[in-house]
Amino acid sequence: MAPTPAPPAPPDEAPPLIRKPGTSWPDAWQRSLAVASEAFHGDQVGNLWAGTWHRDGHPQPAASPVDGTPIAGPPRLDADAALRAVRASLDQHRVWRDVPLPERKARITATLDALAAHRELLALLLVWEIGKPWKLARADVDRAIDGVRWYVAESDRMLVGRSPLPGPVSNIASWNYPMSVLVHAMLVQALAGNAVIAKTPTDGGLVCLTLASALAAREGVPITLVSGSGSALSPSLVRSPEIGCVSFVGGRDTGARVATAVADLGKRHVLEQEGLNTWAVWNFTDWPALTPQLRKTFDYAKQRCTAYPRFVVQRDAFADFLAAYLPAVRSVRFGHPLAVPDPAAPLPDLDFGPLINATKAKELADLTTEAISRGAVPLHRGTLADGHFLPAQDTSAYLPPTTLLAPPPSSPLHHAEPFGPVDTIVLVDTEAELLAAMNASNGALVATLSCDNEETFDRLAPQIRAFKVGHNAPRSRGDRAELFGGFGNSWRGAFVGGDLLVHAVTQGPTPERLPGNFPEYQLMP
């Protein structure tokens, strides 16, 4: 009798991942010091005001969401110091507004060239400070540079008959797009003849913004960059009479307080706030085209203002939708943005890394558990075992993709933007139900309606309360000439994008009604 063959040897296990050499936080920090030593003082980041870097404020501890590595924390100023910085910015503004446009263009262009020269370092800082995957971090830097170059080229036309504001523009922005939203806006505001002030976001982006601001300040661009709590700095950055315009990007609660302040003062303002962006499916059959689009919605863990966390689906089409959706969500790749199998390997192509911090990850995980306990149906629940991690690394800021059907009305997931990789699906039977579900948050920035019939889209789209509505494709904030704004509570003040961004921070012929969403009127472009 022939002997029983031995079972095949198990395949060798893949070697543990390592962090890509040269990408550690100390590497990024030392490179930043080498590029802009004036902005850093030993292990502390400076505040920039009156054209000088100051070692003031009270540094706060901070940790990277990537793996808990300690990183530089914000040097928080108190209210009196912030007021001095604002008054110094007004002095800069009175000089800068008279600098001829050709000179302003030259200085902004020199700044963009410097940013481009340090593109890789700025992207690496974004990875460590806010957890962006490498590909998305580089794209954030590139969009800032390329976008402002377009404004430089178009500025002669845009600024005909317009003048700078009476005072500097104050920027209070969220942490998720430090370069392509905040630095982009600051440089365009300066190009238009204004001094600019920015508050570093509380949750991340400090060193990246500091490096970018240092490169701009070297070229004589009048930038003020300060750190501090919203409660301490808000009286100076929002209510000070020196401020010519307030530009805010963030949540509705904080935005509402800012809106009240600027309305009381009659101050120019641009307030971009959250809204529940929805993607609806109605009388639709092109399912193969939908799957890759659905996966793209998970970019950066849906931590952006134009993410799509809510799907409104015709009940009769739910089985087909699920067959297109589940392969998309199951193919999502997440994990440590700098983990590689060997030193020579390229950085991983991930859909997302961590959330901004462990507190946010726990908050969303708890909301998901609570929604399920109240009747939501879990359609997909990823696990950390699916992630791309270093051995024994801290994963407390990571949340696997999750999908819930029919979140209960009592859950915040029913009506609010989660700002994380949690999708909710609502089933509807009529067009009236579809529109009600799409308009659940009283205004949004973007929406999409997937339907086969063009006439159906043309009839329903005007009833969707979103600034941009896509037909069978997602919409985004957009770059260059594309306009951007929001409906309802998702936006207050002047709309932006293209010529409107310049118009929002300059004065035109009197009287002038800017396109926007104001208490006394709403004017579409």
Side-chain angles (χ1 to χ4, degrees):
M1 184 174 180
T4 303
D12 292 336
E13 291 187 5
L17 298 174
I18 62 170
R19 187 180 58 240
K20 178 82 170 176
T23 65
S24 71
W25 173 254
D27 292 329
W29 177 254
Q30 291 301 321
R31 289 170 62 188
S32 300
L33 266 63
V35 172
S37 59
E38 70 272 21
F40 304 97
H41 307 277
D43 60 352
Q44 180 179 337
V45 178
N47 287 294
L48 173 61
W49 54 277
T52 303
W53 290 97
H54 299 263
R55 184 168 185 168
D56 52 9
H58 304 282
Q60 304 296 303
S64 170
V66 170
D67 58 11
T69 294
I71 61 175
R76 294 189 171 187
L77 295 178
D78 58 25
D80 290 340
L83 185 57
R84 289 195 297 272
V86 169
R87 289 172 175 168
S89 180
L90 178 61
D91 292 338
Q92 290 181 306
H93 181 82
R94 288 169 172 163
V95 174
W96 180 254
R97 63 178 295 152
D98 292 328
V99 172
L101 178 58
E103 177 65 18
R104 299 202 304 264
K105 290 167 63 176
R107 295 190 189 186
I108 297 297
T109 298
T111 299
L112 297 174
D113 292 343
L115 294 175
H118 298 289
R119 170 198 186 222
E120 302 288 301
L121 175 55
L122 291 164
L124 182 59
L125 292 170
L126 290 180
V127 172
W128 278 111
E129 294 193 283
I130 61 174
K132 279 200 170 180
W134 182 242
K135 181 179 179 181
L136 297 180
R138 288 194 298 179
D140 193 20
V141 177
D142 291 343
R143 285 181 60 198
I145 297 169
D146 296 343
V148 179
R149 286 198 195 279
W150 181 84
Y151 277 94
V152 171
E154 298 289 328
S155 58
D156 291 276
R157 172 186 61 80
M158 290 181 177
L159 289 168
V160 171
R162 307 196 68 82
S163 60
L165 297 173
V169 181
S170 177
N171 294 270
I172 303 171
S174 59
W175 45 265
N176 52 344
Y177 284 91
M179 293 295 298
S180 64
V181 174
L182 182 51
V183 169
H184 178 280
M186 292 162 63
L187 293 180
V188 174
Q189 292 159 7
L191 177 67
N194 304 289
V196 296
I197 306 170
K199 174 186 174 298
T200 57
T202 303
D203 290 320
L206 168 70
V207 179
C208 178
L209 284 169
T210 298
L211 179 58
S213 297
L215 297 175
R218 284 181 180 177
E219 304 301 335
V221 179
I223 284 179
T224 295
L225 183 69
V226 294
S227 293
S229 69
S231 58
L233 268 58
S234 182
S236 299
L237 301 186
V238 175
R239 303 192 68 94
S240 289
E242 292 87 352
I243 298 297
C245 175
V246 176
S247 177
F248 170 87
V249 180
R252 287 192 178 186
D253 291 342
T254 304
R257 292 192 291 271
V258 173
T260 299
V262 295
D264 290 345
L265 299 169
K267 196 182 295 290
R268 183 76 64 89
H269 58 283
V270 177
L271 310 182
E272 175 187 331
Q273 300 168 126
E274 62 186 320
L276 185 59
N277 305 316
T278 59
W279 190 314
V281 178
W282 186 260
N283 292 339
F284 177 74
T285 57
D286 190 10
W287 304 109
L290 191 60
T291 297
Q293 293 180 326
L294 293 172
R295 175 173 177 173
K296 287 291 292 180
T297 67
F298 279 93
D299 277 359
Y300 195 31
K302 307 205 175 204
Q303 296 178 108
R304 62 184 193 276
C305 63
T306 54
Y308 286 88
R310 166 63 53 81
F311 293 90
V312 179
V313 181
Q314 187 176 12
R315 191 182 306 273
D316 288 348
F318 181 54
D320 291 327
F321 173 82
L322 210 56
Y325 177 88
L326 289 177
V329 69
R330 288 169 179 162
S331 67
V332 167
R333 297 189 69 220
F334 68 96
H336 194 303
L338 303 173
V340 294
D342 64 77
L347 291 171
D349 185 8
L350 303 176
D351 296 289
F352 63 87
L355 301 193
I356 187 57
N357 52 47
T359 300
K360 179 62 178 180
K362 183 179 185 304
E363 172 194 319
L364 268 184
D366 290 347
L367 285 176
T368 299
T369 300
E370 181 183 35
I372 292 171
S373 73
R374 295 182 180 181
V377 179
L379 297 178
H380 175 80
R381 299 189 81 175
T383 69
L384 290 178
D386 302 325
H388 178 89
F389 297 118
L390 299 176
Q393 77 159 80
D394 183 341
T395 59
S396 58
Y398 292 82
L399 185 71
T402 301
T403 309
L404 303 180
L405 174 66
S410 59
S411 169
L413 295 176
H414 180 80
H415 54 79
E417 179 183 18
F419 229 64
V422 177
D423 277 350
T424 57
I425 300 174
V426 174
L427 302 183
V428 295
D429 296 296
T430 67
E431 290 183 356
E433 289 178 319
L434 177 137
L435 292 169
M438 294 192 76
N439 294 329
S441 68
N442 185 28
L445 305 176
V446 297
T448 289
L449 177 58
S450 289
C451 61
D452 293 339
N453 189 281
E454 188 82 33
E455 292 182 0
T456 300
F457 175 82
D458 291 341
R459 177 168 48 81
L460 295 177
Q463 302 177 68
I464 300 169
R465 289 181 55 76
F467 187 80
K468 297 181 179 180
V469 180
H471 184 198
N472 298 342
R475 297 303 307 271
S476 68
R477 185 186 184 94
D479 295 307
R480 303 184 181 186
E482 190 168 353
L483 308 182
F484 191 56
F487 279 1
N489 291 334
S490 68
W491 196 281
R492 299 171 192 262
F495 295 147
V496 296
D499 289 21
L500 295 188
L501 176 53
V502 170
H503 290 184
V505 296
T506 54
Q507 294 178 308
T510 303
E512 179 180 47
R513 282 163 57 94
L514 293 173
N517 188 18
F518 297 92
E520 61 273 18
Y521 73 90
Q522 181 184 75
L523 178 62
M524 293 300 295

